[in-house]
Amino acid sequence: RGRAGLVNGFEHEPVLAEEVADLLRPAPGRLLLDGTLGGGGHSERLLAAGARVIGLDRDPRAVAAASARLARFGEAFRALRADFRDARAALGSLGIAGVDGALVDLGVSSPQLDDPGRGFSFQRAGPLDMRMSGEGETLAELLQRVDERELSRILREYGEEPFARPIARAVKRAVEQEGARSLDTRRLAEIVASAIPRRAWPRRIHPATRTFQALRIAVNDELSALAAWLGSLPAILNPGGRAAAIAFHSLE
């Protein structure tokens, strides 16, 4: 998914850059939308082929990193801090009615995972945050707000977690006893793991992986964003335009 470096520790080296280029056919005269700009890796490949690119990202650190990385392309590249669900409005703010191709790279990137202060990973202790934009409800606030039934639904639907109910019960008990603000990501992972029978632990991933995925999706309303983006494509794509999405799990 990428490697850390550059501005604010945010650089994304895409693993599917050539496949994206094959699909979106960057060339002089073509205008493309990168809906998840990240560190600018995909946009760089598209710009290098002569296309103009509009990049969107709701993470201000990603926008800053990509803008610095791609400054050499001048007016061929423009970056906006915006959610790809609002792509039509973002393009409209630039006076652009349509694009010849659009891309989204779904989920979380390595620089976001690698920064413990963002709260996406349990590899190192970090706050219960998980917000991609830095705005809105944090994970700690979500865990305080939802009841056990709603938390179980989130884990079951967004994480496809078979032990959603006992995990939700254990997490809510810890929130009530310890307080959500006193918990960190490593402690949350321990609570989740303790709610799953050891014999049922997945072999290749940490037992808390599905739960963290589900909570991240809930905090950032990711599936609704994807649905909105898909719904906007007929309006923002020019005739003959193409859209590409990079997805890493079955819900997407």
Side-chain angles (χ1 to χ4, degrees):
R1 298 280 286 175
R3 61 182 175 84
L6 203 65
V7 178
N8 298 322
F10 208 120
E11 182 177 0
H12 180 209
E13 297 298 336
V15 297
L16 295 173
E18 293 308 312
E19 289 82 354
V20 165
D22 287 343
L23 283 167
L24 298 188
R25 299 175 297 186
R30 289 178 63 79
L31 176 62
L32 305 177
L33 173 70
D34 185 350
T36 43
L37 182 57
H42 287 120
S43 286
E44 184 174 50
R45 174 64 181 81
L46 302 175
L47 289 160
R52 292 182 295 132
V53 175
I54 306 297
L56 309 180
D57 207 294
R58 58 168 143 183
D59 189 332
R61 278 169 275 198
V63 172
S67 296
R69 176 176 182 168
L70 304 175
R72 71 184 187 279
F73 292 101
E75 295 182 357
F77 173 71
R78 298 187 70 174
L80 294 177
R81 184 184 175 190
D83 192 319
F84 61 75
R85 77 171 76 212
D86 301 318
R88 188 176 185 182
L91 292 172
S93 72
L94 299 176
I96 296 171
V99 295
D100 301 308
L103 167 71
V104 289
D105 185 359
L106 305 171
V108 65
S109 66
S110 292
Q112 291 168 327
L113 283 171
D114 292 342
D115 182 355
R118 305 297 298 274
F120 288 107
S121 174
F122 45 76
Q123 299 302 321
R124 290 183 286 170
L128 299 189
D129 193 323
M130 288 195 180
R131 297 171 299 171
M132 290 185 181
S133 67
E135 299 174 347
E137 186 178 52
T138 66
L139 174 57
E141 291 166 340
L142 181 146
L143 293 178
Q144 287 179 317
R145 175 177 59 82
V146 301
D147 59 18
E148 182 180 316
R149 177 176 293 185
E150 174 64 8
L151 181 55
S152 178
R153 183 196 67 79
I154 289 171
L155 302 184
R156 183 177 63 254
E157 293 186 9
Y158 297 164
E160 300 174 292
E161 173 54 69
F163 294 94
R165 182 168 296 181
I167 292 171
R169 187 179 304 118
V171 170
K172 287 301 294 183
R173 185 185 306 118
V175 168
E176 292 168 2
Q177 294 176 351
E178 303 177 38
R181 296 184 185 279
S182 68
L183 299 174
D184 60 31
T185 54
R186 182 167 289 175
R187 173 66 180 134
L188 180 60
E190 293 172 353
I191 294 165
V192 172
S194 69
I196 302 174
R198 174 78 68 158
R199 66 181 183 280
W201 281 17
R203 293 184 178 181
R204 296 184 179 181
I205 60 174
H206 190 283
T209 300
R210 294 190 190 99
T211 290
F212 270 63
Q213 171 187 288
L215 295 174
R216 189 202 78 226
I217 289 172
V219 167
N220 295 286
D221 197 23
E222 293 179 33
L223 295 184
S224 293
L226 176 57
W229 180 74
L230 291 170
S232 74
L233 289 178
I236 67 174
L237 283 177
N238 294 328
R242 292 184 172 190
I246 299 173
F248 287 85
H249 64 84
S250 58
L251 288 175
E252 293 167 348

